[in-house]
Amino acid sequence: NAGETLLKAQIISEIARLMKVKKLTQAKAAALTGIAQPDLSNLLRGKFRGFSVERLLTMLTAFGRDVEVVVRPAPKSRKAGGIRFRSEAA
């Protein structure tokens, strides 16, 4: 679904940002996250079909990031809830 695809893209964007901040090559980042370098390369190019949101979030934790999932009521102005990704860069 579109919401899940957007969330995956946002998580991967954060992974790419962290790689840049930490000056990691794809090989080093792949080793850190426990995936093969070609798989990481595919992720960074937007090919993430075989990766679940959970797996991508777990990859963020390998970069020393805490991941927090918060569930709260949606505003009354909307019938359905939504998913939002927010990065706290440090």
Side-chain angles (χ1 to χ4, degrees):
N1 83 35
E4 182 179 356
T5 300
L6 176 60
L7 179 59
K8 287 180 180 183
Q10 290 170 319
I11 295 167
I12 293 164
S13 177
E14 181 65 6
I15 290 169
R17 187 190 74 76
L18 291 168
M19 287 174 58
K20 188 174 182 177
V21 167
K22 294 179 179 281
K23 298 180 174 135
L24 295 176
T25 63
Q26 283 189 13
K28 288 183 181 180
L32 178 70
T33 59
I35 65 171
Q37 184 276 326
D39 292 336
L40 179 60
S41 178
N42 283 333
L43 279 176
L44 296 173
R45 288 185 288 129
K47 298 179 181 178
F48 45 78
R49 244 176 225 228
F51 288 83
S52 67
V53 169
E54 179 183 10
R55 187 170 179 195
L56 294 173
L57 291 174
T58 300
M59 289 172 66
L60 281 177
T61 67
F63 285 92
R65 293 303 199 223
D66 286 335
V67 175
E68 181 178 336
V69 177
V70 178
V71 179
R72 63 177 159 256
K76 292 181 181 183
S77 60
R78 286 191 276 127
K79 283 186 177 182
I83 296 173
R84 183 179 75 168
F85 179 86
R86 182 177 56 131
S87 172
E88 293 182 12

